[in-house]
Amino acid sequence: MPHNETVEGLGLDEYKYHFVTRDKPVFKSRKGLSEEVVRQISAHKEEPEWMLDFRLRALKIFESKPMPTWGGDLSTLDLDQIYFYIRPQDRMQRSWDEVPDEIKDTFERLGIPEAERSVLAGVGAQYESEMVYHSLREEWENQGVVFESIEDGLKMYPDLFREHFATVIPPADNKFAALNSAVWSGGSFVYIPKGAKIDIPLQAYFRVNAERMGQFERTIIIADEGSEAHYIEGCTAPQYSTESFHSGVIEIIVKRNARFRYTTIQNWSNNMYNLVTQRAMVHESATMEWLDGNLGSKLTMKYPSCFLVGEGAHGEVLSIAYATDGQHQDTGGKVVHVAPHTTSRITSKSISKGTGRSSYRGLCKVYEGAVGSRSNVECDALLLDETSRTDTYPYIEIDENEATIGHEATVSKVGEEQLFYLMSRGLAEEEAMAMVVRGFIEPIAKKLPLEFAIELNRLIELEMEGSVG
Amino acid sequence: MADGVTTAREAGETEAGVAGSRLAAFLETLDEPATLLERRRRAWERYTELPMPTRKSEEWRYTDLSRLDPESHVPFAPESGEEENRDAGDLPEQAARLLEGMEARSAVAVRVDGRTLHRRLDPALAERGVVFAPIRRVARERPELLAERLYTSDVSPMEEKLWSLHVAMLTGGDVLYVPDGVRVPEPVHVLRWAGEGDRLLSTHTLLVTGREAEVTWVEEYLSPDLESPLLSLSGLELFAGDGATVHYLSLQRYGRGVKHFSIQHLLAGRDTRLSGLNVNLGGDLARDDVTSHLEGPGSESEMLALWFGDGTQHFDHHTLQHHAAPHAYSDLLYKGALTDSARSVFRGLIRVDRGAQLTDAYQTNRNLLLSKHCHATTLPNLEIEADDVRCSHGATVGQVDEGMLFYLMSRGLTRLTAERLLVFGFFDEVLERVPVEGVRERLRDAIGSKIGL
Amino acid sequence: MGEGEFHTVARLDEIPATGLKGVAVEEQKIVLVRQGDQVFALEDRCSHEEFALSDGEIVAGQIECALHGARFDPATGAPKALPAVKPVKTFECRVEGDVVQVRID
């Protein structure tokens, strides 16, 4: 960890993911959204009829729902200017050698194949609208683990797919879930068999390269009884002067006694609207953990949810948001207690800097009958400048008297005493600031695999640059 | 009064078919100072323009107004400004009984169905310039006290519909003016009794204090259980001068059959100390919207509330601690207990404006659920645009401590009594912050009789 | 079930062959779901946010609430898709000739 390096020493002068790849997509839809675009997507994927019907219905639902008026400012999001589908290559590959050079090069620069060799159980890589690469280590494949692109999931496991698809997040759930349901493309289909325990993470990497691109991945994960796994998604894009758009839907089913952790390290460029629906259905004695790191994007609206439907289920959301100039992170988590003796915890840490705004938005709902349930929510917000803003909007709805629910939030600025102390120990003000921020997010960073924790720290360091003086 | 009522009813019934509004017809029957009438008309216009809030709006998400039909209520005849002043012995029995134990008051008023039957103010205070009178009389005799104050509050769009109805249909109101440097030694206490259903009662309070003034205001809302529903609208505008200390307490203990909506705006000047307490025990539905505007540096605001809901009672509390000035302090503590199928909502916001540095703001909501079918919703919100602040909030929902319960039961108490005692203890954290002992005891009695102790 | 009386609530041909219709018996709002000759009756209120199910649609044999897409089994009222997690109340329902009758308790 570069604790004793100076920020300048890191040589990270700018967002390092800005590079643009010159590629030759095989298909690009017309700008904007229409029935024609939806039919083109479905045709390219050679889908069954029911999926086309599903998409067309979802398009109608999308059109009928009003834009949300809460959360972030969506008035500058112009969907008519967005490309809803860009097909980068004709088929997905299972070996990096077969991925077109310019695309492979992109992922090389992002360090994906290297990470795959050293620390990951499987990798999926999405470029624009399609997964260009998907691969799982043989030892897990032999145990019956399924880790496929969502399109292959639909083709190879039609019954399992249809049994679960859109049961956790139906199209009408919200406007952007409806949009995703109409134009989804890419994402993963994951099945962890009974009792399988994958001790190193699976990772999906999402890259948007084109200008005015809309990316709509859809992921279904089924963790069967007693299984354990960790899935990580990472996201980047180059900075354009125009807006891009990412709207994923992630559905997770965690069956009895299973444990599943889903980690997002979102570092989209600052022209990205990132509107994502992530939800898990958690069965008896199972555990679902969301680790949600939101560092990039122009506006993120994202509230990972746990529906605790089985007795003794546990849900956890760890959320970290970093909003700097021009950014709004509207993030948080939702826990819904349905069954008895379910427990949950939401921990949110946010940092606002410059004109950045971070908002915590959350829900804790306890249904009648969820006796003996416990939930605890803690939100801490750190403000670095007098121009930064933070908000906290928790919803707590309790219909069961035998439940214990607590929520606490604090807002503070970086303590001057703390800074002076660190500076008196020889740290530059910037370094001191970075250190305070690192300390603030540590409870979350330490839950990450080491490589990601370092990455997170590096990002914080980078963001701190020029934050004082 | 009887004449007034007849007029309103007849007007309502004949007009209802034509213009569709007996409330509009009510406005036509009024004879009062032009300035007041003009305000009613403007408010009525706003009221008719605005849609009734629905559960689709965040502010009304948990309280359904779709069955609220103001037109089905006949407004009480408005006060004339010429008050009777009966002795306590000549008051209706209910009202007379309420006056018991209220000797230690600097001023008292008793209103029955909006009409003042009894009013007294310590003559020594009157001599020092304290004014305690109905709005209508003040409008005639001291209009400067109302100018730029009455109905000037910064009402939020979601309150505006009912606020407009309140202003347009005003039955009567009280003005208390305390000049610079005057300390009112004992509380000013107003009793508001409503005895009839199918009616609309709209009451307003305007509290104005000068610099360094000091006063405690108590208002109580009462009625028997009513077969046919009463719609009660109440408004408070409190302007506290620099360095003033003002305590405001509202005790709502209506009978069943009442829907009560209260909109309160408290404005604190420089170095002002404000505290407000709302106690909700009665009615079928009670909704309080309380805003504390901290406009002067160094001001302090304490916002307190208690409620106990049983049956199918529904209590909804909205609060705003608005820090517009630096170096101000606000602390909110709202505590409620529910049993049977009662429901409560707390939605509170601390807003710290850009530049309101060195703000200290706190917000706590605690809920006790005593039965299987009650529901509590709590939404403690923060919007912070200054960085040098200390802000926190907390909310809890839980049950009475089983250990304490067993302890009390082991000492021979029934479970029910033990539970009630614990609820009483739960409320005490708020009650002990009430500054006047006589008032504190009155609140304890009211709560005790509600929870059955 | 078994208590209360059957009330005639609609003619069978008023409900689309695979569709739904909202009716009211006394104070009770009911949604009728027809699948061919069979009709089911459920409380016309989504268990998620109390929205009228009769404003929704029948999708693949299930009632879908228009507000957030929750789905229910028309025969049992059981929830089939989030965000609903609780069942919707069902009523005994029969077709007598060309009319639909529902038993209200």
Side-chain angles (χ1 to χ4, degrees):
Chain A
M1 299 250 262
H3 273 187
N4 47 5
E5 288 178 43
T6 64
V7 174
E8 292 79 6
L10 289 170
L12 303 167
D13 294 311
E14 53 187 33
Y15 183 78
K16 65 171 178 169
Y17 309 109
H18 278 168
F19 63 91
V20 177
T21 307
R22 309 227 172 273
D23 57 14
K24 302 174 280 294
V26 297
F27 178 79
K28 192 170 184 176
S29 69
R30 275 212 309 231
K31 267 196 292 194
L33 181 62
S34 63
E35 187 178 321
E36 184 199 348
V37 170
V38 172
R39 286 183 183 278
Q40 281 171 348
I41 295 171
S42 188
H44 271 285
K45 296 182 186 298
E46 298 167 355
E47 286 175 350
E49 188 73 20
W50 74 265
M51 186 56 82
L52 175 63
D53 292 346
F54 173 87
R55 289 179 181 274
L56 292 172
R57 224 184 127 246
L59 178 65
K60 288 212 170 64
I61 294 171
F62 169 75
E63 285 163 351
S64 72
K65 281 195 180 277
M67 272 288 191
T69 49
W70 50 272
D73 177 12
L74 295 169
S75 61
T76 51
L77 171 61
D78 184 357
L79 294 180
D80 294 337
Q81 295 301 316
I82 297 284
Y83 292 99
F84 280 79
Y85 183 62
I86 300 179
R87 190 172 175 85
Q89 63 175 24
D90 259 335
R91 48 186 296 261
M92 200 198 69
Q93 307 300 338
R94 291 179 190 273
S95 152
W96 282 110
D97 292 342
E98 285 161 41
V99 174
D101 284 346
E102 63 279 5
I103 297 177
K104 183 172 69 182
D105 189 47
T106 300
F107 288 101
E108 292 281 4
R109 292 178 71 173
L110 296 169
I112 305 302
E114 189 194 330
E116 180 181 12
R117 283 189 292 273
S118 53
V119 294
L120 298 171
V123 163
Q126 176 157 352
Y127 186 86
E128 317 297 27
S129 297
E130 297 282 357
M131 302 304 289
V132 292
Y133 175 83
H134 231 277
S135 172
L136 177 67
R137 282 193 192 183
E138 210 180 321
E139 54 177 308
W140 304 115
E141 213 168 283
N142 292 342
Q143 286 201 27
V145 174
V146 174
F147 181 63
E148 296 291 345
S149 73
I150 188 86
E151 288 82 2
D152 283 346
L154 173 56
K155 286 198 176 82
M156 298 159 70
Y157 306 94
D159 296 337
L160 189 63
F161 187 104
R162 203 170 175 180
E163 184 190 340
H164 294 100
F165 180 74
T167 60
V168 181
I169 305 171
D173 189 82
N174 65 76
K175 189 169 177 78
F176 295 101
L179 178 61
N180 176 285
S181 299
V183 298
W184 68 264
S185 183
S188 303
F189 182 78
V190 182
Y191 173 76
I192 319 289
K194 279 186 189 169
K197 296 192 164 77
I198 311 183
D199 49 13
I200 54 175
L202 299 164
Q203 195 189 3
Y205 203 92
F206 296 89
R207 175 71 178 175
V208 163
N209 181 64
E211 191 170 2
R212 298 198 178 101
M213 173 65 202
Q215 192 177 58
F216 305 95
E217 94 277 7
R218 180 128 194 158
T219 289
I220 301 176
I221 296 170
I222 302 147
D224 213 332
E225 294 184 3
S227 66
E228 286 181 20
H230 181 188
Y231 183 98
I232 299 177
E233 65 164 6
C235 323
T236 63
Q239 178 84 41
Y240 291 107
S241 56
T242 54
E243 264 80 41
S244 291
F245 184 30
H246 171 254
S247 188
V249 164
I250 315 295
E251 300 182 276
I252 303 181
I253 294 112
V254 192
K255 298 203 174 169
R256 204 165 72 89
N257 286 327
R259 294 180 68 91
F260 198 83
R261 178 186 287 177
Y262 190 103
T263 297
T264 304
I265 302 291
Q266 173 270 108
N267 197 21
W268 292 118
S269 52
N270 290 358
N271 58 327
M272 183 68 83
Y273 284 89
N274 183 43
L275 311 173
V276 177
T277 310
Q278 298 181 327
R279 185 181 290 162
M281 173 132 56
V282 192
H283 291 274
E284 191 185 333
S285 302
T287 294
M288 175 68 207
E289 234 182 305
W290 294 100
L291 230 125
D292 199 33
N294 289 292
L295 307 166
S297 81
K298 176 192 179 87
L299 167 66
T300 287
M301 289 171 69
K302 178 143 129 26
Y303 324 98
S305 320
C306 297
F307 277 67
L308 306 170
V309 297
E311 183 156 356
H314 178 69
E316 184 124 1
V317 182
L318 279 159
S319 170
I320 167 162
Y322 190 102
T324 183
D325 289 328
Q327 284 186 302
H328 184 186
Q329 306 287 11
D330 200 283
T331 59
K334 300 185 188 181
V335 287
V336 178
H337 292 254
V338 183
H341 305 292
T342 46
T343 52
S344 67
R345 186 162 56 195
I346 300 177
T347 311
S348 159
K349 299 258 180 185
S350 75
I351 299 155
S352 311
K353 172 177 168 251
T355 61
R357 174 180 177 191
S358 24
S359 308
Y360 169 82
R361 200 176 294 277
L363 169 71
C364 171
K365 182 168 177 81
V366 179
Y367 277 92
E368 194 174 328
V371 293
S373 292
R374 293 179 166 270
S375 175
N376 196 43
V377 179
E378 268 184 56
C379 306
D380 293 319
L382 197 60
L383 291 162
L384 301 190
D385 295 285
E386 59 181 22
T387 49
S388 3
R389 168 171 179 175
T390 184
D391 315 294
T392 313
Y393 304 109
Y395 287 72
I396 303 163
E397 302 177 359
I398 311 303
D399 296 344
E400 167 58 55
N401 71 312
E402 286 181 54
T404 306
I405 310 302
H407 169 100
E408 273 181 51
T410 61
V411 176
S412 51
K413 72 178 289 197
V414 170
E416 305 217 334
E417 302 83 1
Q418 237 176 330
L419 282 182
F420 283 132
Y421 172 75
L422 291 168
M423 287 161 69
S424 75
R425 303 296 294 260
L427 292 186
E429 189 172 356
E430 234 167 64
E431 281 177 301
M433 186 77 102
M435 195 160 204
V436 171
V437 170
R438 258 202 312 264
F440 179 75
I441 60 161
E442 195 189 335
I444 288 175
K446 74 181 182 202
K447 288 237 177 191
L448 287 170
L450 185 63
E451 290 71 19
F452 290 91
I454 290 172
E455 175 73 6
L456 190 62
N457 275 326
R458 241 149 59 110
L459 286 164
I460 296 293
E461 206 99 12
L462 180 66
E463 293 286 357
M464 278 304 127
E465 183 164 345
S467 67
V468 286
Chain B
M1 185 181 78
D3 285 344
V5 173
T6 313
T7 314
R9 269 196 203 282
E10 284 172 353
E13 276 153 20
T14 49
E15 291 290 319
V18 187
S21 173
R22 60 158 49 133
L23 298 179
F26 164 80
L27 283 179
E28 299 306 315
T29 66
L30 302 177
D31 167 30
E32 62 181 12
T35 52
L36 289 182
L37 206 51
E38 184 47 33
R39 284 178 168 165
R40 282 185 193 265
R41 294 220 167 96
R42 280 209 308 269
W44 178 253
E45 246 169 63
R46 268 315 272 159
Y47 172 76
T48 52
E49 284 164 17
L50 292 165
M52 188 62 87
T54 68
R55 289 188 54 206
K56 285 184 179 159
S57 72
E58 279 298 307
E59 291 81 352
W60 292 91
R61 186 175 166 136
Y62 300 98
T63 296
D64 186 2
L65 294 183
S66 64
R67 290 194 186 179
L68 182 73
D69 176 17
E71 286 289 342
S72 67
H73 300 265
V74 182
F76 280 115
E79 67 186 3
S80 63
E82 299 307 319
E83 304 180 297
E84 298 173 50
N85 207 351
R86 304 188 198 172
D87 289 336
D90 293 336
L91 290 171
E93 194 194 328
Q94 281 283 5
R97 204 161 353 117
L98 292 166
L99 274 173
E100 282 169 20
M102 298 234 303
E103 293 74 26
R105 298 289 185 270
S106 288
V108 169
V110 179
R111 285 177 176 269
V112 174
D113 294 342
R115 190 170 58 136
T116 310
L117 297 186
H118 174 78
R119 184 184 295 270
R120 73 168 169 83
L121 167 67
D122 180 347
L125 290 168
E127 249 170 60
R128 296 187 64 191
V130 173
V131 174
F132 177 52
I135 287 179
R136 191 131 147 189
R137 193 189 318 151
V138 177
R140 264 199 317 264
E141 296 170 6
R142 298 282 303 274
E144 77 283 1
L145 292 181
L146 306 185
E148 288 169 32
R149 291 195 183 105
L150 185 67
Y151 306 145
T152 59
S153 293
D154 183 14
V155 172
S156 80
M158 278 302 139
E159 297 167 332
E160 201 184 350
K161 176 84 175 174
L162 291 177
W163 177 263
S164 302
L165 184 64
H166 158 66
V167 172
M169 295 296 130
L170 187 77
T171 317
D174 298 287
V175 178
L176 177 71
Y177 171 69
V178 184
D180 288 352
V182 174
R183 181 175 171 272
V184 178
E186 303 294 340
V188 176
H189 201 131
V190 178
L191 296 168
R192 291 169 176 165
W193 171 268
E196 268 184 75
D198 277 333
R199 308 304 299 260
L200 189 160
L201 174 69
S202 174
T203 52
H204 197 81
T205 303
L206 179 67
L207 281 180
V208 181
T209 80
R211 301 167 65 92
E212 314 284 336
E214 213 177 309
V215 67
T216 296
W217 173 274
V218 185
E219 58 191 31
E220 269 179 78
Y221 296 88
L222 308 110
S223 79
D225 290 336
L226 295 169
E227 296 262 321
S228 46
L230 171 77
L231 174 59
S232 163
L233 303 168
S234 101
L236 164 73
E237 293 175 289
L238 191 166
F239 298 85
D242 293 349
T245 300
V246 183
H247 300 286
Y248 166 83
L249 298 102
S250 165
L251 170 57
Q252 185 275 105
R253 45 166 160 164
Y254 277 128
R256 292 303 156 90
V258 181
K259 289 188 168 77
H260 178 66
F261 297 89
S262 173
I263 298 176
Q264 306 171 10
H265 283 264
L266 295 77
L267 196 138
R270 178 181 287 271
D271 298 325
T272 299
R273 292 192 58 220
L274 280 187
S275 79
L277 166 63
N278 280 282
V279 180
N280 273 304
L281 302 174
D284 292 345
L285 164 67
R287 155 100 174 201
D288 290 346
D289 280 88
V290 185
T291 303
S292 192
H293 302 272
L294 295 138
E295 307 236 318
S299 52
E300 288 180 25
S301 166
E302 184 179 48
M303 293 162 82
L304 305 169
L306 292 178
W307 59 92
F308 184 89
D310 57 17
T312 57
Q313 282 185 304
H314 180 113
F315 296 142
D316 187 354
H317 307 85
H318 281 232
T319 64
L320 171 61
Q321 294 154 266
H322 185 186
H323 285 257
H327 226 298
Y329 166 89
S330 70
D331 186 19
L332 176 147
L333 178 60
Y334 272 49
K335 297 186 92 168
L338 302 174
T339 187
D340 302 336
S341 299
R343 220 172 237 280
S344 78
V345 181
F346 166 76
R347 182 193 189 86
L349 173 63
I350 295 176
R351 179 181 296 146
V352 179
D353 287 353
R354 185 148 296 174
Q357 296 289 30
L358 298 166
T359 289
D360 263 356
Y362 306 96
Q363 182 192 52
T364 307
N365 170 226
R366 305 214 181 282
N367 299 278
L368 266 189
L369 301 185
L370 305 172
S371 79
K372 206 72 209 151
H373 302 294
C374 51
H375 309 270
T377 297
T378 171
L379 305 92
N381 294 340
L382 306 174
E383 290 179 351
I384 315 291
E385 294 197 68
D387 66 327
D388 198 357
V389 301
R390 276 191 291 178
C391 293
S392 69
H393 68 201
T396 57
V397 182
Q399 318 92 76
V400 290
D401 186 316
E402 279 292 320
M404 295 287 282
L405 209 54
F406 285 127
Y407 172 76
L408 290 174
M409 285 160 71
S410 76
R411 305 295 297 261
L413 295 179
T414 62
R415 189 181 174 93
L416 192 64
T417 310
E419 190 175 271
R420 285 167 175 174
L421 271 176
L422 290 175
V423 171
F424 206 72
F426 170 77
F427 286 150
D428 219 49
E429 183 188 359
V430 171
L431 288 174
E432 67 192 15
R433 294 207 207 174
V434 174
V436 186
E437 199 191 328
V439 176
R440 199 159 53 226
E441 286 316 309
R442 198 172 173 92
L443 293 175
R444 282 207 173 102
D445 287 350
I447 291 168
S449 71
K450 165 83 185 194
I451 64 181
L453 271 176
Chain C
M1 293 210 195
E3 285 177 34
E5 289 172 26
F6 276 101
H7 297 254
T8 298
V9 292
R11 283 201 326 272
L12 186 61
D13 61 13
E14 288 175 284
I15 321 170
T18 44
L20 41 73
K21 180 186 169 64
V23 295
V25 187
E26 289 157 10
E27 294 279 279
Q28 183 67 56
K29 287 184 178 169
I30 288 174
V31 58
L32 301 173
V33 180
R34 180 172 167 194
Q35 290 176 341
D37 290 338
Q38 209 173 4
V39 181
F40 302 105
L42 302 91
E43 187 174 11
D44 192 7
R45 190 172 70 163
C46 181
S47 66
H48 175 235
E49 287 206 347
E50 303 182 357
F51 201 72
L53 289 172
S54 53
D55 289 342
E57 277 182 64
I58 299 297
V59 181
Q62 296 172 344
I63 315 172
E64 183 176 303
C65 177
L67 195 59
H68 295 107
R71 295 200 290 270
F72 301 92
D73 181 328
T76 63
K80 292 294 173 186
L82 296 183
V85 292
K86 294 281 177 181
V88 172
K89 186 177 173 188
T90 56
F91 296 92
E92 204 177 332
C93 183
R94 68 184 183 196
V95 179
E96 287 288 305
D98 60 351
V99 299
V100 179
Q101 297 185 322
V102 174
R103 195 203 289 270
I104 305 293
D105 34 61

